[in-house]
Amino acid sequence: MIEIERVSKQFGSGGGGGLGGPSGGVMAVRDVSLSIGGGVVTGLLGPNGAGKTTLIRMITGFLTPSRGRVRVCGHDAIEDSGPARRCIGFLPESAPLYPEMRVSQFLRFRASLFKIPRAERASAIDGALRRCELLDMQDRRVGQLSKGYRQRVGLASAILHRPPVLILDEPSSGLDPAQIRSLRQTIRDLASEPLDEATAKRTGLSKRVVLLSSHSLPEVRATCDRIVIMARGQVRAAGAPDELLEPLRAAAPWRVEVGHPPETPASLMVSRTQELIAGVASRVLSCVAAPGNAVIARLEMASPSISHQSATTHPGEALFRTIAGAGLTIRSLSREEPTLEDVFLAAVEDRAHDALTPSLSHATSPKVFA
Amino acid sequence: MSGVATIALREFRAFFQLPLGWIIVALCLLGSGFAFTNATLIPGQPASMRDFFAFWWFILAIIAPSISMRLFSEELRSGTFEPLMSSPVSELSIVLGKYFGAMLLLIACLAPTMLYVGVLGSLTRPDYGPIFAGYLGVLLAGALYLAVGLVFSALTSSQTLAFLATMFVLIGVELAIAYGSSQLPPQAARAVSELSANARIADFAKGVVDTANIAYFVVVSAWLVGISAVILRARRWR
């Protein structure tokens, strides 16, 4: 398990009052608290410069937090860094490798660094090569490999010591669609397979913790069971995709298509419809004439908290009654389904505090993914 | 300790998997070959390699920065520094591994020059004591020079900058000492010349294996290696 408690990271000097602090320091990560468990793939999503890589670097011990603490499988990432780092398999962004080394030689080097017992090294390397489909490439120099194969070598070196925690920073950058699909499956397999008995006993985890960072929404949507959205160094939203969509679903706009006879002027119908829905809508987003003697209106209705509590105050019903009661024909009445893109944009554009407050990760009560 | 050996061996092998290692060895043999033919293989001169060793501070001032420049600068430039620093190995182990890897290359550079000893031995009957003491002096001075280069390499991701800064310091210090010794009062000049690696190599070349000289090289090198480890640690806090 990865436990992040009120972690901040400031680069350079300064008071840290803001992104560019008053004295020139940059607050890359600000007061982040998270708890990430095993068995699922957790995606760290955010635009470039959101603080994802800095947060990951504090988890792997590459950077020391300015404030707060990080624990990996119960070990403090700084004070007990050796055991903490041994628990982590890490694939940095762009999979930096030594180009002059052969693939198998590089994996032997990493196996030795991670203190895999000599007797187990050959099988560990063979397992990693097999899993990452690198058996044919083991004698090739890393510098001669394509970007996709280099990424696989990076992944093989990350899983070599069968770590209970796997951290992948932008794992699919630069890969073609076929390679991305294969990588996604491998990542999902790594999260779902049970840990060996000794590791499970040592860490208290039955399955692997997989944390993946990306700025690509499709990648996170396709690979991850849980999503943490970061922007400007803060966690803006966190939860399963459905949990994240729920607050937006409640506030999602309604769409109503009203039909009218051909002889009725469209402009008259538009103003009539607008007049009717204004009585029930909290906000009319649009109301326009459409082909086929129709008027299409988009509107926001009353508070979502009311909507599911009482049939009499259900916004859809109120809308239906209003339009049908005026003798107009309703051709369709529907609700726009929010997408993860909406969640992402709401979080990143600072609309999160209204729409996504229930899923925000607060410093004092970290969001737990288990 | 296994982390130190792992990193040292990887570093040593990497030199020979790249043209750089071979170029450094060739450069070293070129310089030492020039020194041997011009300072030792002179008819009528005593069968000694004392003058040969006098060239070594300059040879080391070129090859030590060539070896040390890539130790950390290359890792910083290519990004391999991150996975290395995220592995369960301490900063000191990483620094020692890099340093010993560089030392192995220095030994690989020195080893072929033993041929000169064989050549001298085939022509005459040299006193081997001062010769081997001279090699010990060169090795210790090389260890010091590599430690200086290690510090600069840990400070920058530019190999060129690391090379130039190290060479500038090594040559600059020797030249400053030589100039200072000629300008300062005798007592101060003696104190300043104590800092000269060249003068200490000369002591070894005479066959004088002084523990003060050994301690000087070992202590200063260890201090610089420690500073490099502190620089790595500081990078986590930047």
Side-chain angles (χ1 to χ4, degrees):
Chain A
M1 181 174 256
I2 302 172
E3 295 155 287
I4 301 165
E5 291 170 32
R6 309 202 65 167
V7 162
S8 297
K9 180 67 187 179
Q10 183 174 359
F11 290 114
S13 59
L19 258 179
S23 311
V26 174
M27 198 66 121
V29 170
R30 191 193 305 238
D31 208 17
V32 167
S33 294
L34 278 174
S35 186
I36 303 169
V40 292
V41 181
T42 302
L44 199 52
L45 181 69
N48 291 324
K52 308 183 296 291
T53 296
T54 303
L55 184 62
I56 280 179
R57 285 176 170 174
M58 288 190 282
I59 298 170
T60 61
F62 181 67
L63 288 177
T64 304
S66 306
R67 281 192 294 276
R69 72 168 17 193
V70 177
R71 292 170 73 81
V72 180
C73 297
H75 304 287
D76 189 286
I78 301 304
E79 286 161 16
D80 198 12
S81 62
R85 285 184 224 157
R86 247 192 301 280
C87 286
I88 298 174
F90 176 41
L91 173 66
E93 189 175 356
S94 307
L97 306 165
Y98 300 105
E100 72 279 2
M101 294 182 95
R102 294 185 191 283
V103 172
S104 55
Q105 191 186 17
F106 173 70
L107 293 179
R108 277 200 298 277
F109 166 66
R110 295 293 298 180
S112 176
L113 271 191
F114 276 83
K115 299 179 175 65
I116 298 176
R118 274 182 191 280
E120 296 170 23
R121 270 182 212 171
S123 70
I125 291 169
D126 189 61
L129 287 170
R130 218 173 271 281
R131 166 148 251 165
C132 299
E133 296 168 30
L134 282 166
L135 279 170
D136 295 340
M137 297 289 157
Q138 58 180 312
D139 294 325
R140 297 273 288 272
R141 285 196 196 281
V142 170
Q144 296 171 340
L145 298 178
S146 67
K147 168 86 182 162
Y149 275 113
R150 281 208 296 273
Q151 201 80 354
R152 288 191 210 182
V153 175
L155 184 63
S157 82
I159 62 172
L160 194 60
H161 57 295
R162 300 186 183 100
V165 174
L166 185 61
I167 298 175
L168 313 166
D169 193 1
E170 303 278 359
S172 64
S173 66
L175 301 188
D176 65 41
Q179 290 168 332
I180 290 174
R181 181 179 288 189
S182 159
L183 180 72
R184 279 178 190 157
Q185 191 52 50
T186 307
I187 292 170
R188 296 198 66 81
D189 291 347
L190 285 164
S192 60
E193 69 189 16
L195 290 170
D196 63 81
E197 208 172 307
T199 310
K201 197 173 172 185
R202 184 163 45 85
T203 60
L205 288 165
S206 57
K207 289 181 178 175
R208 187 169 280 120
V209 176
V210 179
L211 177 63
L212 174 155
S213 136
S214 178
H215 64 271
S216 159
L217 186 58
E219 180 184 343
V220 169
R221 188 167 33 203
T223 318
C224 304
D225 309 291
R226 298 283 187 272
I227 300 173
V228 177
I229 300 178
M230 282 190 79
R232 297 183 204 171
Q234 289 179 304
V235 171
R236 297 301 178 101
D242 269 351
E243 286 171 22
L244 292 175
L245 287 169
E246 197 50 42
L248 287 189
R249 235 175 234 144
W254 289 83
R255 182 184 180 280
V256 59
E257 185 178 344
V258 178
H260 62 85
E263 61 275 16
T264 312
S267 58
L268 184 71
M269 280 307 297
V270 168
S271 58
R272 176 87 177 109
T273 309
Q274 205 157 14
E275 201 176 286
L276 284 170
I277 60 174
V280 288
S282 57
R283 192 153 71 107
V284 178
L285 300 171
S286 66
C287 185
V288 292
N293 305 315
V295 173
I296 294 175
R298 287 179 69 246
L299 63 150
E300 284 176 358
M301 300 285 284
S303 166
S305 58
I306 303 169
S307 64
H308 298 296
Q309 287 175 2
S310 160
T312 55
T313 55
H314 190 283
E317 192 175 331
L319 182 61
F320 181 85
R321 280 178 194 276
T322 305
I323 297 172
L328 301 184
T329 310
I330 296 173
R331 287 187 184 165
S332 71
L333 178 62
S334 62
R335 196 133 197 215
E336 290 179 6
E337 185 63 22
T339 62
L340 273 178
E341 196 172 356
D342 298 323
V343 175
F344 178 72
L345 289 174
V348 168
E349 289 168 5
D350 244 353
R351 287 186 274 132
H353 291 282
D354 297 329
L356 301 169
T357 301
S359 60
L360 273 174
S361 172
H362 292 290
T364 47
S365 55
K367 187 78 185 167
V368 178
F369 293 156
Chain B
M1 199 60 198
S2 72
V4 175
T6 302
I7 294 168
L9 287 174
R10 195 213 77 79
E11 202 61 42
F12 179 62
R13 285 186 190 131
F15 278 114
F16 291 103
Q17 286 169 331
L18 296 164
L20 182 69
W22 298 105
I23 292 170
I24 291 171
V25 172
L27 202 66
C28 183
L29 288 176
L30 186 74
S32 60
F34 176 83
F36 184 69
T37 49
N38 287 284
T40 302
L41 277 186
I42 300 169
Q45 288 294 308
S48 149
M49 289 178 76
R50 193 184 295 183
D51 294 334
F52 166 79
F53 289 118
F55 279 83
W56 269 92
W57 80 269
F58 185 71
I59 297 171
L60 287 174
I62 304 291
I63 65 160
S66 311
I67 296 172
S68 63
M69 68 179 184
R70 73 180 297 277
L71 293 174
F72 285 111
S73 300
E74 176 61 14
E75 301 257 6
L76 288 165
R77 188 197 61 76
S78 67
T80 49
F81 186 67
E82 188 175 353
L84 182 64
M85 289 288 280
S86 304
S87 60
V89 184
S90 69
E91 290 90 356
L92 186 61
S93 296
I94 292 172
V95 167
L96 283 174
K98 292 276 181 185
Y99 182 64
F100 289 143
M103 281 298 293
L104 286 175
L105 182 64
L106 182 67
I107 291 168
C109 287
L110 282 174
T113 68
M114 299 300 276
L115 188 68
Y116 306 144
V117 182
V119 169
L120 194 65
S122 70
L123 296 172
T124 179
R125 285 188 172 183
D127 182 355
Y128 288 106
I131 292 173
F132 290 113
Y135 270 105
L136 178 63
V138 168
L139 201 60
L140 288 168
L144 172 64
Y145 283 14
L146 284 175
V148 173
L150 190 72
V151 172
F152 284 109
S153 184
L155 284 171
T156 175
S157 59
S158 163
Q159 291 193 47
T160 312
L161 195 60
F163 174 82
L164 291 175
T166 308
M167 197 172 69
F168 179 79
V169 166
L170 296 180
I171 294 178
V173 165
E174 282 299 333
L175 292 180
I177 289 168
Y179 179 74
S181 303
S182 64
Q183 300 295 315
L184 292 168
Q187 216 164 4
R190 209 167 28 252
V192 168
S193 66
E194 291 290 312
L195 296 170
S196 168
N198 185 25
R200 289 175 190 271
I201 294 175
D203 279 352
F204 279 100
K206 286 178 208 160
V208 181
V209 181
D210 186 346
T211 46
N213 284 341
I214 294 174
Y216 167 79
F217 285 123
V218 170
V219 169
V220 178
S221 301
W223 181 65
L224 291 167
V225 167
I227 286 178
S228 303
V230 171
I231 292 169
L232 288 206
R233 181 159 274 252
R235 283 189 173 276
R236 292 193 198 277
W237 285 95
R238 74 199 149 88

